[in-house]
PDB file of all heavy atoms in Angstrom:
ATOM      1  N   TYR A  73      50.641 198.114 -75.957  1.00  0.00           N
ATOM      2  CA  TYR A  73      49.731 199.249 -76.079  1.00  0.00           C
ATOM      3  C   TYR A  73      49.364 199.757 -74.685  1.00  0.00           C
ATOM      4  O   TYR A  73      49.584 199.084 -73.685  1.00  0.00           O
ATOM      5  CB  TYR A  73      48.475 198.893 -76.879  1.00  0.00           C
ATOM      6  CG  TYR A  73      47.699 197.683 -76.387  1.00  0.00           C
ATOM      7  CD1 TYR A  73      46.820 197.777 -75.311  1.00  0.00           C
ATOM      8  CD2 TYR A  73      47.820 196.451 -77.024  1.00  0.00           C
ATOM      9  CE1 TYR A  73      46.096 196.684 -74.870  1.00  0.00           C
ATOM     10  CE2 TYR A  73      47.105 195.349 -76.589  1.00  0.00           C
ATOM     11  CZ  TYR A  73      46.242 195.472 -75.511  1.00  0.00           C
ATOM     12  OH  TYR A  73      45.542 194.377 -75.084  1.00  0.00           O
ATOM     13  N   TYR A  74      48.814 200.958 -74.674  1.00  0.00           N
ATOM     14  CA  TYR A  74      48.388 201.585 -73.430  1.00  0.00           C
ATOM     15  C   TYR A  74      47.011 201.051 -73.041  1.00  0.00           C
ATOM     16  O   TYR A  74      46.196 200.717 -73.891  1.00  0.00           O
ATOM     17  CB  TYR A  74      48.323 203.106 -73.588  1.00  0.00           C
ATOM     18  CG  TYR A  74      49.675 203.721 -73.851  1.00  0.00           C
ATOM     19  CD1 TYR A  74      50.046 204.111 -75.141  1.00  0.00           C
ATOM     20  CD2 TYR A  74      50.577 203.914 -72.817  1.00  0.00           C
ATOM     21  CE1 TYR A  74      51.292 204.678 -75.382  1.00  0.00           C
ATOM     22  CE2 TYR A  74      51.823 204.479 -73.055  1.00  0.00           C
ATOM     23  CZ  TYR A  74      52.170 204.853 -74.339  1.00  0.00           C
ATOM     24  OH  TYR A  74      53.398 205.402 -74.569  1.00  0.00           O
ATOM     25  N   THR A  75      46.780 201.008 -71.746  1.00  0.00           N
ATOM     26  CA  THR A  75      45.488 200.587 -71.219  1.00  0.00           C
ATOM     27  C   THR A  75      45.262 201.308 -69.896  1.00  0.00           C
ATOM     28  O   THR A  75      46.202 201.863 -69.317  1.00  0.00           O
ATOM     29  CB  THR A  75      45.425 199.050 -71.045  1.00  0.00           C
ATOM     30  OG1 THR A  75      44.099 198.672 -70.671  1.00  0.00           O
ATOM     31  CG2 THR A  75      46.419 198.562 -70.002  1.00  0.00           C
ATOM     32  N   ASP A  76      44.032 201.307 -69.434  1.00  0.00           N
ATOM     33  CA  ASP A  76      43.751 201.983 -68.171  1.00  0.00           C
ATOM     34  C   ASP A  76      43.906 201.064 -66.970  1.00  0.00           C
ATOM     35  O   ASP A  76      44.152 201.518 -65.862  1.00  0.00           O
ATOM     36  CB  ASP A  76      42.365 202.635 -68.178  1.00  0.00           C
ATOM     37  CG  ASP A  76      41.243 201.691 -68.571  1.00  0.00           C
ATOM     38  OD1 ASP A  76      41.500 200.503 -68.828  1.00  0.00           O
ATOM     39  OD2 ASP A  76      40.091 202.152 -68.639  1.00  0.00           O
ATOM     40  N   ILE A  77      43.783 199.744 -67.180  1.00  0.00           N
ATOM     41  CA  ILE A  77      43.814 198.813 -66.052  1.00  0.00           C
ATOM     42  C   ILE A  77      44.331 197.459 -66.507  1.00  0.00           C
ATOM     43  O   ILE A  77      44.053 197.020 -67.627  1.00  0.00           O
ATOM     44  CB  ILE A  77      42.406 198.657 -65.422  1.00  0.00           C
ATOM     45  CG1 ILE A  77      42.434 197.732 -64.203  1.00  0.00           C
ATOM     46  CG2 ILE A  77      41.395 198.190 -66.438  1.00  0.00           C
ATOM     47  CD1 ILE A  77      41.123 197.688 -63.432  1.00  0.00           C
ATOM     48  N   ILE A  78      45.089 196.834 -65.620  1.00  0.00           N
ATOM     49  CA  ILE A  78      45.465 195.431 -65.781  1.00  0.00           C
ATOM     50  C   ILE A  78      45.201 194.764 -64.441  1.00  0.00           C
ATOM     51  O   ILE A  78      45.657 195.243 -63.394  1.00  0.00           O
ATOM     52  CB  ILE A  78      46.945 195.251 -66.176  1.00  0.00           C
ATOM     53  CG1 ILE A  78      47.197 195.835 -67.562  1.00  0.00           C
ATOM     54  CG2 ILE A  78      47.326 193.768 -66.150  1.00  0.00           C
ATOM     55  CD1 ILE A  78      48.654 195.779 -68.002  1.00  0.00           C
ATOM     56  N   THR A  79      44.466 193.670 -64.491  1.00  0.00           N
ATOM     57  CA  THR A  79      44.133 192.917 -63.287  1.00  0.00           C
ATOM     58  C   THR A  79      44.893 191.603 -63.298  1.00  0.00           C
ATOM     59  O   THR A  79      44.755 190.811 -64.232  1.00  0.00           O
ATOM     60  CB  THR A  79      42.616 192.640 -63.226  1.00  0.00           C
ATOM     61  OG1 THR A  79      41.912 193.881 -63.267  1.00  0.00           O
ATOM     62  CG2 THR A  79      42.241 191.886 -61.964  1.00  0.00           C
ATOM     63  N   PHE A  80      45.699 191.380 -62.268  1.00  0.00           N
ATOM     64  CA  PHE A  80      46.368 190.096 -62.070  1.00  0.00           C
ATOM     65  C   PHE A  80      45.580 189.371 -60.984  1.00  0.00           C
ATOM     66  O   PHE A  80      45.646 189.720 -59.805  1.00  0.00           O
ATOM     67  CB  PHE A  80      47.832 190.289 -61.669  1.00  0.00           C
ATOM     68  CG  PHE A  80      48.670 190.847 -62.788  1.00  0.00           C
ATOM     69  CD1 PHE A  80      49.078 192.168 -62.769  1.00  0.00           C
ATOM     70  CD2 PHE A  80      49.041 190.053 -63.859  1.00  0.00           C
ATOM     71  CE1 PHE A  80      49.856 192.691 -63.795  1.00  0.00           C
ATOM     72  CE2 PHE A  80      49.811 190.563 -64.900  1.00  0.00           C
ATOM     73  CZ  PHE A  80      50.225 191.886 -64.869  1.00  0.00           C
ATOM     74  N   ASP A  81      44.839 188.395 -61.409  1.00  0.00           N
ATOM     75  CA  ASP A  81      43.874 187.706 -60.553  1.00  0.00           C
ATOM     76  C   ASP A  81      44.462 186.405 -60.024  1.00  0.00           C
ATOM     77  O   ASP A  81      44.740 185.490 -60.786  1.00  0.00           O
ATOM     78  CB  ASP A  81      42.612 187.436 -61.377  1.00  0.00           C
ATOM     79  CG  ASP A  81      41.492 186.820 -60.569  1.00  0.00           C
ATOM     80  OD1 ASP A  81      41.626 186.709 -59.332  1.00  0.00           O
ATOM     81  OD2 ASP A  81      40.475 186.450 -61.182  1.00  0.00           O
ATOM     82  N   ASN A  82      44.642 186.338 -58.721  1.00  0.00           N
ATOM     83  CA  ASN A  82      45.091 185.115 -58.056  1.00  0.00           C
ATOM     84  C   ASN A  82      44.000 184.582 -57.138  1.00  0.00           C
ATOM     85  O   ASN A  82      44.286 183.938 -56.134  1.00  0.00           O
ATOM     86  CB  ASN A  82      46.375 185.377 -57.257  1.00  0.00           C
ATOM     87  CG  ASN A  82      47.566 185.535 -58.165  1.00  0.00           C
ATOM     88  OD1 ASN A  82      47.698 184.822 -59.152  1.00  0.00           O
ATOM     89  ND2 ASN A  82      48.426 186.476 -57.854  1.00  0.00           N
ATOM     90  N   SER A  83      42.762 184.860 -57.489  1.00  0.00           N
ATOM     91  CA  SER A  83      41.631 184.417 -56.680  1.00  0.00           C
ATOM     92  C   SER A  83      41.475 182.905 -56.767  1.00  0.00           C
ATOM     93  O   SER A  83      41.921 182.271 -57.718  1.00  0.00           O
ATOM     94  CB  SER A  83      40.343 185.074 -57.189  1.00  0.00           C
ATOM     95  OG  SER A  83      40.437 186.475 -57.140  1.00  0.00           O
ATOM     96  N   ASP A  84      40.814 182.370 -55.758  1.00  0.00           N
ATOM     97  CA  ASP A  84      40.409 180.977 -55.840  1.00  0.00           C
ATOM     98  C   ASP A  84      38.883 180.953 -55.886  1.00  0.00           C
ATOM     99  O   ASP A  84      38.255 181.997 -56.076  1.00  0.00           O
ATOM    100  CB  ASP A  84      40.994 180.143 -54.696  1.00  0.00           C
ATOM    101  CG  ASP A  84      40.568 180.621 -53.309  1.00  0.00           C
ATOM    102  OD1 ASP A  84      39.489 181.257 -53.181  1.00  0.00           O
ATOM    103  OD2 ASP A  84      41.291 180.351 -52.347  1.00  0.00           O
ATOM    104  N   ASP A  85      38.288 179.808 -55.691  1.00  0.00           N
ATOM    105  CA  ASP A  85      36.830 179.701 -55.823  1.00  0.00           C
ATOM    106  C   ASP A  85      36.069 180.429 -54.726  1.00  0.00           C
ATOM    107  O   ASP A  85      34.880 180.690 -54.874  1.00  0.00           O
ATOM    108  CB  ASP A  85      36.411 178.229 -55.832  1.00  0.00           C
ATOM    109  CG  ASP A  85      36.856 177.519 -57.093  1.00  0.00           C
ATOM    110  OD1 ASP A  85      37.089 178.199 -58.119  1.00  0.00           O
ATOM    111  OD2 ASP A  85      36.976 176.277 -57.057  1.00  0.00           O
ATOM    112  N   THR A  86      36.740 180.749 -53.630  1.00  0.00           N
ATOM    113  CA  THR A  86      36.010 181.306 -52.494  1.00  0.00           C
ATOM    114  C   THR A  86      36.357 182.745 -52.150  1.00  0.00           C
ATOM    115  O   THR A  86      35.620 183.383 -51.402  1.00  0.00           O
ATOM    116  CB  THR A  86      36.263 180.455 -51.235  1.00  0.00           C
ATOM    117  OG1 THR A  86      37.665 180.467 -50.935  1.00  0.00           O
ATOM    118  CG2 THR A  86      35.790 179.019 -51.456  1.00  0.00           C
ATOM    119  N   ARG A  87      37.492 183.255 -52.660  1.00  0.00           N
ATOM    120  CA  ARG A  87      37.885 184.606 -52.256  1.00  0.00           C
ATOM    121  C   ARG A  87      38.716 185.286 -53.342  1.00  0.00           C
ATOM    122  O   ARG A  87      39.360 184.634 -54.158  1.00  0.00           O
ATOM    123  CB  ARG A  87      38.664 184.575 -50.948  1.00  0.00           C
ATOM    124  CG  ARG A  87      39.955 183.804 -51.073  1.00  0.00           C
ATOM    125  CD  ARG A  87      40.632 183.620 -49.752  1.00  0.00           C
ATOM    126  NE  ARG A  87      41.929 182.985 -49.971  1.00  0.00           N
ATOM    127  CZ  ARG A  87      42.706 182.551 -49.033  1.00  0.00           C
ATOM    128  NH1 ARG A  87      42.333 182.680 -47.783  1.00  0.00           N
ATOM    129  NH2 ARG A  87      43.862 182.001 -49.305  1.00  0.00           N
ATOM    130  N   MET A  88      38.692 186.620 -53.308  1.00  0.00           N
ATOM    131  CA  MET A  88      39.452 187.420 -54.269  1.00  0.00           C
ATOM    132  C   MET A  88      40.831 187.740 -53.712  1.00  0.00           C
ATOM    133  O   MET A  88      40.965 188.114 -52.544  1.00  0.00           O
ATOM    134  CB  MET A  88      38.740 188.737 -54.561  1.00  0.00           C
ATOM    135  CG  MET A  88      37.485 188.599 -55.338  1.00  0.00           C
ATOM    136  SD  MET A  88      36.822 190.231 -55.732  1.00  0.00           S
ATOM    137  CE  MET A  88      35.227 189.759 -56.355  1.00  0.00           C
ATOM    138  N   GLN A  89      41.807 187.606 -54.595  1.00  0.00           N
ATOM    139  CA  GLN A  89      43.172 187.993 -54.247  1.00  0.00           C
ATOM    140  C   GLN A  89      43.883 188.386 -55.522  1.00  0.00           C
ATOM    141  O   GLN A  89      43.768 187.706 -56.546  1.00  0.00           O
ATOM    142  CB  GLN A  89      43.920 186.827 -53.591  1.00  0.00           C
ATOM    143  CG  GLN A  89      45.340 187.162 -53.242  1.00  0.00           C
ATOM    144  CD  GLN A  89      46.093 185.980 -52.650  1.00  0.00           C
ATOM    145  OE1 GLN A  89      45.532 184.922 -52.434  1.00  0.00           O
ATOM    146  NE2 GLN A  89      47.361 186.170 -52.392  1.00  0.00           N
ATOM    147  N   GLY A  90      44.605 189.493 -55.494  1.00  0.00           N
ATOM    148  CA  GLY A  90      45.376 189.882 -56.658  1.00  0.00           C
ATOM    149  C   GLY A  90      45.831 191.326 -56.602  1.00  0.00           C
ATOM    150  O   GLY A  90      45.713 191.986 -55.569  1.00  0.00           O
ATOM    151  N   GLU A  91      46.350 191.759 -57.746  1.00  0.00           N
ATOM    152  CA  GLU A  91      46.820 193.127 -57.888  1.00  0.00           C
ATOM    153  C   GLU A  91      46.146 193.767 -59.086  1.00  0.00           C
ATOM    154  O   GLU A  91      45.983 193.115 -60.125  1.00  0.00           O
ATOM    155  CB  GLU A  91      48.343 193.161 -58.056  1.00  0.00           C
ATOM    156  CG  GLU A  91      49.066 192.701 -56.816  1.00  0.00           C
ATOM    157  CD  GLU A  91      50.553 192.938 -56.867  1.00  0.00           C
ATOM    158  OE1 GLU A  91      51.108 193.164 -57.959  1.00  0.00           O
ATOM    159  OE2 GLU A  91      51.167 192.897 -55.785  1.00  0.00           O
ATOM    160  N   ILE A  92      45.772 195.023 -58.911  1.00  0.00           N
ATOM    161  CA  ILE A  92      45.114 195.779 -59.965  1.00  0.00           C
ATOM    162  C   ILE A  92      45.942 197.031 -60.216  1.00  0.00           C
ATOM    163  O   ILE A  92      46.096 197.871 -59.324  1.00  0.00           O
ATOM    164  CB  ILE A  92      43.667 196.146 -59.566  1.00  0.00           C
ATOM    165  CG1 ILE A  92      42.849 194.867 -59.342  1.00  0.00           C
ATOM    166  CG2 ILE A  92      43.040 197.037 -60.634  1.00  0.00           C
ATOM    167  CD1 ILE A  92      41.460 195.109 -58.792  1.00  0.00           C
ATOM    168  N   TYR A  93      46.508 197.106 -61.417  1.00  0.00           N
ATOM    169  CA  TYR A  93      47.318 198.262 -61.815  1.00  0.00           C
ATOM    170  C   TYR A  93      46.433 199.217 -62.602  1.00  0.00           C
ATOM    171  O   TYR A  93      45.726 198.789 -63.518  1.00  0.00           O
ATOM    172  CB  TYR A  93      48.503 197.812 -62.675  1.00  0.00           C
ATOM    173  CG  TYR A  93      49.561 197.099 -61.885  1.00  0.00           C
ATOM    174  CD1 TYR A  93      49.422 195.765 -61.537  1.00  0.00           C
ATOM    175  CD2 TYR A  93      50.698 197.775 -61.455  1.00  0.00           C
ATOM    176  CE1 TYR A  93      50.387 195.110 -60.791  1.00  0.00           C
ATOM    177  CE2 TYR A  93      51.672 197.130 -60.712  1.00  0.00           C
ATOM    178  CZ  TYR A  93      51.511 195.798 -60.390  1.00  0.00           C
ATOM    179  OH  TYR A  93      52.476 195.157 -59.643  1.00  0.00           O
ATOM    180  N   VAL A  94      46.483 200.497 -62.241  1.00  0.00           N
ATOM    181  CA  VAL A  94      45.636 201.510 -62.855  1.00  0.00           C
ATOM    182  C   VAL A  94      46.493 202.678 -63.319  1.00  0.00           C
ATOM    183  O   VAL A  94      47.242 203.254 -62.530  1.00  0.00           O
ATOM    184  CB  VAL A  94      44.569 202.026 -61.864  1.00  0.00           C
ATOM    185  CG1 VAL A  94      43.749 203.144 -62.478  1.00  0.00           C
ATOM    186  CG2 VAL A  94      43.672 200.888 -61.379  1.00  0.00           C
TER     187      VAL A  94
END
Side-chain angles (χ1 to χ4, degrees):
Y73 54 80
Y74 295 102
T75 186
D76 52 1
I77 182 172
I78 295 176
T79 302
F80 291 105
D81 185 7
N82 286 320
S83 301
D84 60 25
D85 291 337
T86 61
R87 63 187 185 188
M88 290 185 190
Q89 179 183 356
E91 294 190 343
I92 299 173
Y93 288 80
V94 176

